[in-house]
Amino acid sequence: MKKILIAGLSVILVAATTFTAQSQQKVKVTVKTKVENRDDDGGWSNFGGNHVPGTWSAYIEDDRVNIMFTGEDWNTGRMFSLAELGTLPTGNEGTFKITRDAGTVTFKGLFAGGKGNGFYTFAEDAGFKSYLVQKGYSGLDKQLMLAVFFTDINKGYFEYLKANGYANVSNENFKDLAEQDLNRRVFADYFGLFKTESWGHPSLGKVIELREHGVNARFVNSFSRNGI
């Protein structure tokens, strides 16, 4: 049974890789395309280089805010709850912050008509960084710490993984989890998919690989709808 499950995952990954390669030949992938294809809170696009200070633009949709972050040579979109942003500046330029275990993003700008723009800076949390070092993680530059912030990796995150059978997270996997935005909501979707498809308990590396290729419940269901 285990071999069958692994074979099934491999077929899905091959199909996803082929689909991605064909798509990239036809059209240049943008952040908007990633968000639409992955059906989640956002995706990375050319993340690297200097990232603070940077610019931001946003729009409010019901109780959520979609924020596009742009650096010197990268950009990425993320979705936040409106409550997490606190009081937003309207009419006149002002500031607001998002604080998580990994650090604080401070925004300067204004909102009007449900849309906003301005500049932002990121300050990592030294205490949480020390906690990650104590857990054995290295290479924690500001670029990675910002990814940790976006993914909302905190102490509870590791407890969540442990409770779901992933007690040991290597340094390489930790970096991938952050950069692939494998937050708890995304993991919950995968756990539901694994249960529905009887895939058992894939390794953490396999989950990361699925995420990297955009394989999620919607993608797998598309195979079923087409009789595959």
Side-chain angles (χ1 to χ4, degrees):
M1 177 62 71
K2 185 175 181 180
K3 290 183 179 180
I4 294 175
L5 296 178
I6 293 175
L9 282 171
S10 298
V11 170
I12 293 292
L13 283 170
V14 169
T17 303
T18 303
F19 176 81
T20 301
Q22 291 175 344
S23 298
Q24 289 177 338
Q25 291 175 356
K26 295 179 180 179
V27 62
K28 181 179 180 180
V29 177
T30 64
V31 171
K32 184 175 181 181
T33 302
K34 284 191 174 184
V35 172
E36 291 176 348
N37 287 346
R38 288 170 62 163
D39 190 27
D40 55 30
D41 291 342
W44 295 101
S45 176
N46 299 325
F47 186 78
N50 297 326
H51 57 79
V52 286
T55 61
W56 64 271
S57 60
Y59 65 88
I60 301 173
E61 184 176 1
D62 298 325
D63 61 346
R64 308 185 79 188
V65 183
N66 190 318
I67 304 179
M68 178 67 69
F69 297 84
T70 302
E72 183 179 20
D73 54 4
W74 64 273
N75 53 69
T76 184
R78 286 295 186 275
M79 192 77 76
F80 299 89
S81 69
L82 186 58
E84 191 174 12
L85 275 63
T87 303
L88 301 177
T90 57
N92 296 314
E93 187 176 71
T95 62
F96 61 99
K97 298 180 179 181
I98 299 176
T99 299
R100 293 176 168 178
D101 282 14
T104 299
V105 171
T106 301
F107 300 85
K108 183 176 182 180
L110 60 87
F111 276 82
K115 297 180 180 180
N117 63 80
F119 297 90
Y120 78 92
T121 57
F122 171 67
E124 60 190 41
D125 185 279
F128 187 68
K129 187 173 183 177
S130 295
Y131 165 78
L132 294 176
V133 171
Q134 291 172 7
K135 288 184 67 67
Y137 300 123
S138 59
L140 302 172
D141 56 20
K142 282 196 172 182
Q143 176 180 324
L144 180 54
M145 289 302 295
L146 183 58
V148 171
F149 171 90
F150 283 138
T151 308
D152 200 11
I153 294 177
N154 50 30
K155 293 181 180 179
Y157 180 88
F158 294 104
E159 293 301 318
Y160 176 78
L161 292 183
K162 182 178 180 180
N164 284 280
Y166 300 104
N168 300 313
V169 181
S170 68
N171 191 66
E172 182 180 359
N173 282 345
F174 171 74
K175 182 178 179 181
D176 288 337
L177 291 173
E179 293 185 345
Q180 292 295 328
D181 194 27
L182 263 159
N183 55 52
R184 273 181 272 193
R185 186 193 63 76
V186 174
F187 263 115
D189 288 344
Y190 274 120
F191 296 152
L193 173 64
F194 299 156
K195 183 177 181 179
T196 300
E197 299 296 327
S198 299
W199 283 356
H201 189 267
S203 69
L204 190 57
K206 184 63 68 175
V207 178
I208 292 170
E209 190 176 359
L210 290 169
R211 173 68 166 172
E212 183 179 8
H213 290 289
V215 178
N216 52 25
R218 187 178 69 169
F219 182 89
V220 174
N221 289 337
S222 69
F223 279 79
S224 299
R225 288 194 299 270
N226 289 287
I228 300 175

